[in-house]
């Protein structure tokens, strides 16, 4: 949908969705007694979306909302209800619809419309036949401000952009193209962007990024986004770092296909999350200083490719013995984390589709989080995650795991053991920044093989709403 706006009762679209309290359907106005009796009868059958034809021959949907003292659960239920009602609207090929909060509960239209909007996504670029009658507009009638709607639109824009980037195949989305896409976002949202090219990356001696890129025919990029509004609440920036592996074949430690290589265009899901969260934050003009770093390349075998056994000298001069070229994400992230220290950040946080182990451990329901930052940061991110239903679970970060990364010939090796694979990846990265550090592994939720409520198959945009929500609470 192109537009979400605050409508007034006089000029709402003809087709309408009424949100009402399941416990109090009487708050629905302008119904005749027969209609109200029908609604009550449907409620006894546990039907929560009631479809009716209005007296003017227009579609009306009455959505029963159950009050829940757990606001986060309630918000998620509303998002899911929004996505279900969207399917009904689409079946009717309706182009504009009004959503009216007819209940005594505050602001419930926002998560409902958020669910509708998030569900109304399709990656159509490569389809010759596009959707013929899309939903264009949603008008909301509720006790909310226009700013709340603008913010929702910024978030949706960010999520859709992240999904698009993840869904783009590597034949289009090279590292260079990813940088261009970020430059475009920067222009639109007034974020300062600089793209370091291969020459510059060489002069900086970013051995991790250059090592992974060796097998590629396409150059790497290192993109820096800075959003620094004049009214920023923070003195020291938060730095985000996103894994931008635009395609991960595993390199010489080649992944088998069909099981594990087919969807590795999604290995820049972390880059998509942090860049598009920054985009949304800037679009919504949140008063917060954020810097976002995206190291990007593909990971391929070739005559030039880096090989197991190689030793790389990283940007911070530490040496790494490469024992598996498929553990490439940590190599490019390491350089970016060291680069982040020059900004003297309050915190540096990376987001990455880093390990299969994280996905195996908790599946697609959330991300794995760990780090050495103070507990309060984890608490803030935990709360933000529950608010937007992009949850994470904290893994231990005990120093003993570091034993598994000892190399005989270099400072570190890029491979832990068979156990605790998600954690040793995080511990590896901790070696490359002096700043308080958090690592978010989104290998599970970044990409779905089955539709789930308001998430489509493919890129989910996981992380955009989480980071936006977190920075929003920090900017207050
Ligand atoms: N990109 C993968 C991780 C991944 C796996 C993301 C599945 C999404 C879904 C990463 O680069 C990788 O290959 N990790 C290896 C690390 C191992 C070699 C230590 C893994 O998880 O198997
Ligand atoms: Zn890999
Ligand atoms: Zn990877």
């Amino acid at each position: 949908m192109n537009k979400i706006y605050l409508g007034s009762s006089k000029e709402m679209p003809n087709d309408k969705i009424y949100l009402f309290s399941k416990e109090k359907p009487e708050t629905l106005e302008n119904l005749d007694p027969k209609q109200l009796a029908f609604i009550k009868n449907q409620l006894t059958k546990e039907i929560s979306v009631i479809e009716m034809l209005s007296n003017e021959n227009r579609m009306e949907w009455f959505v029963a909302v159950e009050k829940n003292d757990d606001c986060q659960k309630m918000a998620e239920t509303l998002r899911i209800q929004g996505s279900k009602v969207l399917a009904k609207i689409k079946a009717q090929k309706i182009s504009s619809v009004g959503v009216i909060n007819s209940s005594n509960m505050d602001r419930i239209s926002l998560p409902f419309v958020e669910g509708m909007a998030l569900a109304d996504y399709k990656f159509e670029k490569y389809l010759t036949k596009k959707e013929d009658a899309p939903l264009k507009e949603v008008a909301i009638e509720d006790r909310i401000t226009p700013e709340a709607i603008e913010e929702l639109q910024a978030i949706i824009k960010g999520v859709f952009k992240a999904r698009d980037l993840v869904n783009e195949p590597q034949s289009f989305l090279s590292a260079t193209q990813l940088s261009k896409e970020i430059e475009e976002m920067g222009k639109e949202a007034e974020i300062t962007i600089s793209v370091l090219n291969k020459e510059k990356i060489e002069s900086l001696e970013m051995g991790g990024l250059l090592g992974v890129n060796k097998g590629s025919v396409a150059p790497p990029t290192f993109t820096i986004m800075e959003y620094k509004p004049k009214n920023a609440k923070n003195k020291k920036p938060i730095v985000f770092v996103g894994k931008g592996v635009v395609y991960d074949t595993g390199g010489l430690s080649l992944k088998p296909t069909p099981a594990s290589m087919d969807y590795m265009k999604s290995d820049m899901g972390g880059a998509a999350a942090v860049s598009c969260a920054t985009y949304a934050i800037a679009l919504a003009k949140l008063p917060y200083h954020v810097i976002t770093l995206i190291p990007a390349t593909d990971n391929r075998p070739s005559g030039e490719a880096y090989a197991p056994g190689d030793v790389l000298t990283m940007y911070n001069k530490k040496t790494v013995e490469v024992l598996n070229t498929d553990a490439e994400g940590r190599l490019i992230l390491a350089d970016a984390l060291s680069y982040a220290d020059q900004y003297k950040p309050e915190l540096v946080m990376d987001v990455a589709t880093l390990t299969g182990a994280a996905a195996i451990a908790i599946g697609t329901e959330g991300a794995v989080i760990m780090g050495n930052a103070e507990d309060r940061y984890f608490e803030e991110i935990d709360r933000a995650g529950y608010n937007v239903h992009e949850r994470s679970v904290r893994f231990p970060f005990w120093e003993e795991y570091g034993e598994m990364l000892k190399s005989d010939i270099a400072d570190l090796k890029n491979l832990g053991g068979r156990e605790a694979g998600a954690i040793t990846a995080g511990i590896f990265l901790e070696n490359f920044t002096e700043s308080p550090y958090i690592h978010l592994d989104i290998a599970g939720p970044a990409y779905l093989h089955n539709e789930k409520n308001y998430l489509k198959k493919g890129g989910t945009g996981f992380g955009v709403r989480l980071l936006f929500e977190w920075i929003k609470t920090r900017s207050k």
Side-chain angles (χ1 to χ4, degrees):
M1 70 193 63
N2 302 331
K3 200 173 149 202
I4 306 171
Y5 64 98
L6 204 53
S8 73
S9 47
K10 278 170 228 112
E11 50 191 71
M12 290 293 274
N14 292 317
D15 299 288
K16 295 187 181 70
I17 301 165
Y18 295 91
L19 309 179
F20 70 98
S21 160
K22 194 174 172 187
E23 293 81 21
K24 258 198 191 157
E26 295 79 17
T27 58
L28 280 166
E29 287 169 30
N30 307 326
L31 288 182
D32 60 42
K34 254 173 100 180
Q35 288 170 315
L36 187 59
F38 177 70
I39 286 177
K40 285 184 174 168
N41 170 278
Q42 297 283 291
L43 289 178
T44 62
K45 296 179 193 159
E46 297 291 318
I47 297 171
S48 65
V49 180
I50 301 152
E51 210 162 16
M52 282 207 278
L53 207 56
S54 77
N55 296 332
E56 291 86 42
N57 254 351
R58 305 304 298 220
M59 291 305 299
E60 293 187 327
W61 291 271
F62 294 85
V63 181
V65 180
E66 208 164 339
K67 198 172 166 60
N68 190 333
D69 290 335
D70 181 342
C71 326
Q72 294 153 340
K73 266 235 162 76
M74 184 165 163
E76 179 62 4
T77 306
L78 280 159
R79 283 181 209 106
I80 294 171
Q81 281 182 313
S83 70
K84 289 197 173 130
V85 174
L86 179 84
K88 293 181 190 281
I89 294 168
K90 299 216 104 154
Q92 301 282 343
K93 298 200 188 297
I94 286 169
S95 66
S96 64
V97 72
V99 174
I100 297 151
N101 180 5
S102 303
S103 79
N104 51 356
M105 296 176 276
D106 276 339
R107 294 167 61 94
I108 59 172
S109 63
L110 275 174
F112 181 86
V113 172
E114 183 183 25
M116 281 178 73
L118 288 170
D120 194 19
Y121 172 84
K122 198 169 174 197
F123 185 62
E124 286 194 309
K125 180 174 163 189
Y126 297 100
L127 296 175
T128 47
K129 199 169 173 293
K130 320 256 191 253
E131 190 178 11
D132 52 353
L135 174 63
K136 293 203 184 99
E137 296 185 345
V138 176
I140 303 181
E141 205 186 305
D142 198 352
R143 299 167 295 274
I144 54 175
T145 60
E147 290 75 38
I149 292 182
E150 275 163 34
E151 187 184 294
L152 175 59
Q153 274 189 304
I155 294 167
I156 301 294
K157 252 183 140 167
V159 172
F160 280 19
K161 184 69 192 177
R163 291 180 183 177
D164 281 350
L165 290 175
V166 170
N167 290 331
E168 278 288 0
Q170 60 91 30
S171 55
F172 173 78
L173 198 80
S174 60
T176 302
Q177 186 61 35
L178 176 60
S179 298
K180 283 188 187 152
E181 301 279 333
I182 295 170
E183 280 178 323
E184 286 302 311
M185 288 190 255
K187 252 187 230 151
E188 186 190 337
E190 294 178 39
I191 307 163
T192 310
I193 311 284
S194 43
V195 180
L196 312 186
N197 61 16
K198 185 173 180 181
E199 240 183 344
K200 181 74 190 170
I201 295 165
E202 280 169 345
S203 74
L204 291 171
E205 300 180 33
M206 291 187 166
L209 179 55
L210 290 166
V212 175
N213 181 254
K214 268 181 82 184
S216 177
V217 288
T221 58
F222 189 98
T223 307
I224 303 163
M225 309 172 81
E226 179 160 23
Y227 171 63
K228 190 178 185 183
K230 290 211 173 67
N231 55 351
K233 286 275 152 60
N234 52 332
K235 292 235 157 56
K236 290 167 146 194
I238 298 256
V239 178
F240 292 125
V241 173
K243 173 177 173 183
V245 173
V246 293
Y247 195 70
D248 184 10
T249 67
L252 285 175
S253 314
L254 195 65
K255 287 179 186 291
T257 178
S260 58
M261 199 191 296
D262 302 19
Y263 304 100
M264 278 302 137
K265 66 175 185 180
S266 66
D267 211 17
M268 33 54 69
V274 295
S275 62
C276 297
T278 309
Y279 173 55
I281 286 164
L283 283 174
K285 300 199 167 27
L286 298 185
Y288 209 82
H289 181 195
V290 176
I291 295 171
T292 299
L293 308 176
I294 316 280
T297 178
D298 53 355
N299 180 27
R300 282 173 191 278
S302 84
E304 298 287 329
Y306 79 139
D310 282 359
V311 175
L312 304 175
T313 301
M314 310 292 279
Y315 177 65
N316 74 348
K317 300 296 169 222
K318 284 192 183 173
T319 56
V320 175
E321 183 184 14
V322 176
L323 285 175
N324 189 321
T325 61
D326 198 10
E328 84 298 340
R330 64 196 74 182
L331 298 171
I332 73 168
L333 289 168
D335 284 346
L337 289 172
S338 308
Y339 192 85
D341 285 343
Q342 68 185 281
Y343 300 108
K344 308 213 175 337
E346 174 175 350
L347 178 94
V348 45
M349 175 175 180
D350 81 79
V351 181
T353 50
L354 202 61
T355 65
I360 299 284
I362 67 159
T364 58
E365 289 304 326
V368 163
I369 193 166
M370 63 193 88
N372 60 19
E374 286 173 37
D375 287 348
R376 63 192 166 101
Y377 293 102
F378 289 92
E379 284 154 18
E380 288 175 18
I381 295 168
D382 191 58
R383 196 165 323 123
Y386 272 97
N387 284 344
V388 302
H389 206 74
E390 288 192 342
R391 297 164 298 180
S392 52
V393 59
R394 189 168 174 186
F395 274 19
F397 214 55
W398 300 314
E399 63 184 59
E400 287 80 357
Y401 291 110
E403 293 296 317
M404 295 162 85
L405 294 166
K406 286 206 164 135
S407 159
D408 295 330
I409 65 160
D411 298 335
L412 287 159
K413 54 181 173 142
N414 77 332
L415 195 63
R418 238 174 58 81
E419 296 163 344
I423 299 171
T424 50
I427 297 277
F428 176 89
L429 291 172
E430 189 194 19
N431 282 281
F432 293 89
T433 175
E434 305 291 324
S435 310
Y437 172 56
I438 289 187
H439 165 56
L440 189 74
D441 193 331
I442 60 167
Y447 193 91
L448 293 183
H449 298 281
N450 294 297
E451 191 169 314
K452 186 164 70 183
N453 301 322
Y454 47 81
L455 303 174
K456 300 283 132 133
K457 276 189 197 182
T460 58
F462 186 100
V464 173
R465 290 165 56 244
L466 170 65
L467 299 183
F468 184 96
E469 174 76 8
W470 178 46
I471 295 300
K472 185 179 132 186
T473 37
R474 294 209 124 229
S475 67
K476 274 188 184 146

